[in-house]
Structures are given as C-alpha cells and as structure tokens.
Amino acid sequence: MSSTVELTKENFDRTVTENPFVLIDFWASWCGPCTQFAPVYEKAAEANPDLVFGKVDTEAQPELAQAFGIQSIPTLMIVRDQVAVFAQPGALPESALTDVIGQARKLDMDEVRRNIAAQQDGAQAE
C-alpha cells in the first residue's frame, strides 16, 4: 500500500489546512526524473508516518501546478502550518530528502511567520 496521498484540486486545500506538515511532489508519468524520485519519496513517506506525503500529477491537475508556479518537474514543496517553507525542482537523492525533512521539522514556525510579515511590511513600504 502506498503511504502517499494523491492531491487534487478537490482535496488539496483541506489536506494542507488539516495537516501541520505536508510534503508535495509535483510530478508526471512521462517524466523520467519523476519516476526515479518516486521510490525515494515513497521510502521517506514510510520512514515519516507522522507527516503527510502528497503527490500532484501535473498532467491531471494543471490548475494546481499553475497555482504554485511549477516550471519543472519533479518539484518538491514542503508546507508547514499552511506556509510553503521549501520548494525546489529536481529529484533529490535520499540523503538530501532526509536532510530537508529534518531541517523543515526544526523550523520555528513563529519565527518564519514573523519573517514573512516583516518582508510583506517591507514590500508595502516600497
């Protein structure tokens, strides 16, 4: 059984809202690097059962890919407390994926929100 969740425009918002930590793999079946990354992603999902690992098929869900400005696939995104804290195109090796998950777990989300607010205030002042 797969430990990843297929994300669609119907369940995306609910999944991200109801779960404090969601990893999202934007992929397509014709994409070679995507199929190479899939078992690495699946293994990480099995190793981190407390996190939600979602997959967005960019062919079936072009609106989601467009909404997030996905230019190349695979792209990995991490959303914590409804804030995108990581987004990077390219298939990550297992060690890099483990490292990114560890770093995202350690983030102080209060500090992240303060930084976002400060950036927004700065942008509005310009």
Side-chain angles (χ1 to χ4, degrees):
M1 186 183 115
S2 174
S3 41
T4 59
V5 178
E6 182 179 347
L7 295 176
T8 65
K9 62 185 179 195
E10 288 77 23
N11 70 356
F12 187 91
D13 287 343
R14 184 179 69 246
T15 301
V16 171
T17 303
E18 293 177 357
N19 296 283
F21 198 123
V22 182
L23 293 93
I24 306 162
D25 174 21
F26 291 88
W27 70 285
S29 58
W30 52 262
C31 163
C34 297
T35 55
Q36 292 172 339
F37 181 60
V40 172
Y41 191 70
E42 192 70 39
K43 187 174 178 183
E46 290 168 9
N48 296 277
D50 58 318
L51 307 180
V52 174
F53 283 73
K55 293 179 76 75
V56 173
D57 180 344
T58 57
E59 292 291 302
Q61 302 296 323
E63 301 91 344
L64 284 176
Q66 187 177 11
F68 287 96
I70 302 303
Q71 299 291 319
S72 59
I73 52 174
T75 289
L76 176 68
M77 183 176 288
I78 298 177
V79 178
R80 278 206 49 203
D81 300 338
Q82 302 175 44
V83 176
V85 297
F86 178 85
Q88 179 178 315
L92 295 176
E94 186 177 339
S95 59
L97 179 56
T98 300
D99 184 49
V100 165
I101 292 169
Q103 288 182 45
R105 281 186 184 276
K106 293 176 192 167
L107 285 174
D108 177 341
M109 290 308 294
D110 290 331
E111 184 178 331
V112 168
R113 280 189 280 279
R114 282 192 298 273
N115 290 340
I116 291 170
Q119 288 175 355
Q120 289 173 340
D121 289 345
Q124 290 173 353
E126 291 176 11

